[in-house]
Amino acid sequence: MAQLLGKLWDRAQGKCHVERICSKVFDECSESDDKAHLKLEKLHVATLLVYNSVNKQLFNPHKEPPSMSTIDQKVAEYKRVPMVTIDRIEFNRLMMEWIRKDLYVVLANRAVLAFVAAPALAVATKRATKDVPHVGKAVAKVPTPLLFSLFSVGLVLLQDFRVG
């Protein structure tokens, strides 16, 4: 149960999108002969590509990539330990570290939108199903605050589905 709730929490924040984007960018930026590692010289370009894709996928507000000095500090930190490449897991961890604060804003925006839209949807659902045989009686018995809660959770979790 805890794993399911953790996955739902990650999905509501948009982490699954970020992980998918990181994987795609890692594949694009890694060398053709060594797809398992990314050279540190390409870390800045890969970071910009990740943030560009994230800004296209996760709407409002615009997420700023880390500064060049922040990336250079991280590269220097990796070079202190004799590393010239990083693997996919380390790349994903690094991107999630830098983008985590922006994911909280994405979740807050989704929650606000859901809490604004849910009461209208709950009332409209009760009104629309009032005259439907069998269904109208069942929906009438469900308290409106319960419908409001269900719509709120559903809207937060389903906002990342793409049509087409």
Side-chain angles (χ1 to χ4, degrees):
M1 184 68 167
Q3 289 177 340
L4 176 66
L5 291 176
K7 286 181 182 178
L8 289 176
W9 179 251
D10 289 349
R11 181 180 181 150
Q13 286 183 313
K15 285 184 182 178
C16 59
H17 285 304
V18 174
E19 289 171 356
R20 196 174 319 129
I21 289 167
C22 287
S23 180
K24 181 181 170 191
V25 168
F26 187 88
D27 289 338
E28 288 175 11
C29 292
S30 61
E31 295 293 320
S32 60
D33 57 338
D34 187 14
K35 286 286 190 189
H37 293 89
L38 176 71
K39 289 186 176 181
L40 290 177
E41 293 83 34
K42 293 189 175 186
L43 184 61
H44 183 69
V45 173
T47 303
L48 292 177
L49 287 171
V50 167
Y51 270 83
N52 185 38
S53 294
V54 165
N55 283 326
K56 289 178 183 176
Q57 292 281 327
L58 301 176
F59 306 111
N60 294 1
H62 179 79
K63 292 120 194 101
E64 285 295 322
S67 66
M68 184 73 168
S69 62
T70 304
I71 296 172
D72 287 340
Q73 287 173 355
K74 191 54 94 168
V75 168
E77 183 181 313
Y78 284 133
K79 285 186 177 180
R80 272 187 232 123
V81 180
M83 288 177 66
V84 292
T85 62
I86 59 173
D87 63 354
R88 184 182 304 269
I89 295 169
E90 181 63 21
F91 179 72
N92 284 349
R93 187 199 61 76
L94 184 61
M95 291 300 118
M96 290 304 292
E97 176 185 319
W98 284 337
I99 208 164
R100 185 171 315 277
K101 65 181 177 356
D102 295 322
L103 291 180
Y104 290 130
V105 174
V106 168
L107 178 63
N109 287 345
R110 286 181 176 182
V112 167
L113 179 65
F115 293 141
V116 168
L121 285 173
V123 171
T125 300
K126 284 196 121 173
R127 209 175 290 142
T129 59
K130 180 172 54 173
D131 297 330
V132 178
H134 304 293
V135 176
K137 291 179 184 177
V139 172
K141 291 180 182 179
V142 176
T144 305
L146 180 62
L147 281 177
F148 166 74
S149 300
L150 291 174
F151 278 121
S152 296
V153 170
L155 286 172
V156 166
L157 293 177
L158 297 177
Q159 284 181 36
D160 62 349
F161 279 116
R162 306 281 189 258
V163 178

